[in-house]
């Protein structure tokens, strides 16, 4: 476990019991709302939310859709709160690049306002691809900042006590997805929010 992951566990475990009232909780509320509006979940499908936090996004989806919900977060305290909020769903404490699920389990994987915490985004994308079913979709919802802001922010953000690593441009996320074996379906940008959908490409037979 690297320093960023240790910082994330320490920071978010402290916030877990009152996360929705914290600055982080308020900042991510609009991202969750837009993601909820843009993602349609098929009846009976399996959805995994990576870095699920207190399970609020999954709970929002459960008010509209009938699906099998799963969540993973690096903070055990967040997982405990997510389980209490969503008692019929399955949760686990694990890093984003070591998902405790079998291959081809999920129809969709979501990441909401957490991709900038991942120390090795390429490793996460490979792992998400592994657990997705053929043609499954990964949706990444993130903060979106103009290039000058990222230029100033990224050299400093790695020192964040919350374990932040890097803020990405949409083009960077799409390039990472394509290199990891996804077909980029859509890129949505609205103010300080971006949402990118990548579909798992079919395996190429030898």
């Amino acid at each position: 476990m690297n320093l960023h992951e240790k910082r994330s566990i320490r920071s978010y475990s402290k916030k877990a019991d009152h996360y929705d009232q914290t600055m982080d909780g308020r900042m991510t509320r609009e991202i969750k709302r837009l993601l909820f509006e843009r993602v349609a979940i098929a009846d009976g499908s399996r959805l995994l939310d990576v870095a699920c936090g207190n399970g609020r996004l999954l709970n929002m989806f459960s008010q509209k859709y009938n699906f099998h919900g799963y969540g993973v977060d690096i903070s055990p305290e967040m997982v405990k709160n997510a389980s209490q909020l969503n008692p019929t769903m399955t949760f686990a404490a694990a890093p984003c690049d070591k998902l405790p699920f079998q291959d081809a389990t999920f129809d969709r994987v979501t990441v909401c306002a957490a991709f900038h915490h991942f120390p090795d985004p390429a490793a996460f994308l490979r792992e998400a691809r592994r657990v997705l079913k053929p043609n499954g979709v990964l949706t990444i919802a993130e903060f979106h900042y103009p290039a000058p802001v990222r230029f100033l922010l990224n050299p400093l953000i790695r020192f964040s006590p919350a374990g932040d690593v890097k803020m990405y441009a949409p083009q960077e996320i799409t390039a990472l997805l394509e290199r990891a074996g996804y077909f980029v379906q859509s890129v949505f940008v609205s103010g300080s929010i971006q949402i990118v959908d990548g579909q798992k490409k079919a395996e190429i037979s030898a």
Side-chain angles (χ1 to χ4, degrees):
M1 184 176 296
N2 70 24
L3 180 59
H4 295 291
E5 291 172 319
K6 291 178 181 178
R7 286 173 174 172
S8 290
I9 293 173
R10 184 166 56 247
S11 176
Y12 287 95
S13 290
K14 289 179 181 178
K15 301 173 187 176
D17 289 343
H18 57 284
Y19 177 77
D20 289 339
Q21 286 73 51
T22 65
M23 182 183 296
D24 281 357
R26 292 192 295 271
M27 286 178 64
T28 60
R29 199 171 295 157
E30 182 65 9
I31 301 183
K32 291 186 180 77
R33 185 189 69 78
L34 282 176
L35 186 56
F36 173 75
E37 289 179 355
R38 289 186 59 82
V39 170
I41 303 172
D43 190 53
S45 64
R46 295 182 182 274
L47 166 67
L48 170 64
D49 190 29
V50 177
C52 65
N54 65 0
R56 181 64 59 192
L57 178 64
L58 284 166
N59 187 260
M60 291 167 65
F61 282 132
S62 72
Q63 307 304 311
K64 184 176 181 181
Y65 300 105
N66 178 26
F67 66 98
H68 303 283
Y70 297 77
V72 164
D73 198 274
I74 199 167
S75 162
E77 290 300 312
M78 281 292 201
V79 167
K80 182 183 74 175
N81 279 269
S83 298
Q84 292 172 349
L85 183 63
N86 304 286
T88 64
M89 299 185 190
T90 301
F91 294 91
C96 66
D97 57 356
K98 295 181 176 62
L99 301 175
F101 302 105
Q102 295 182 350
D103 296 359
T105 298
F106 300 102
D107 301 280
R108 185 182 287 269
V109 174
T110 55
V111 182
C112 184
F115 193 70
H116 64 278
H117 283 281
F118 296 169
D120 188 344
F124 159 69
L125 293 174
R126 291 192 299 269
E127 186 70 346
R129 189 180 187 282
R130 179 186 68 79
V131 301
L132 277 169
K133 295 179 182 179
N135 299 316
V137 176
L138 168 63
T139 299
I140 299 172
E142 258 298 346
F143 296 105
H144 173 260
Y145 298 115
V149 175
R150 294 195 310 275
F151 178 80
L152 295 172
L153 185 62
N154 280 332
L156 303 175
I157 199 172
R158 297 179 67 85
F159 299 100
S160 163
D164 301 52
V165 177
K166 181 181 178 180
M167 291 297 180
Y168 294 88
Q171 298 89 337
E172 292 177 299
I173 295 177
T174 58
L176 286 166
L177 283 166
E178 288 169 349
R179 284 198 293 270
Y182 296 83
F183 167 74
V184 177
Q185 290 183 316
S186 66
V187 179
F188 170 81
V189 178
S190 177
S192 61
I193 298 170
Q194 58 180 318
I195 300 176
V196 183
D197 288 315
Q199 185 178 48
K200 176 180 177 177
K201 291 181 181 178
E203 300 286 353
I204 301 174
S205 301

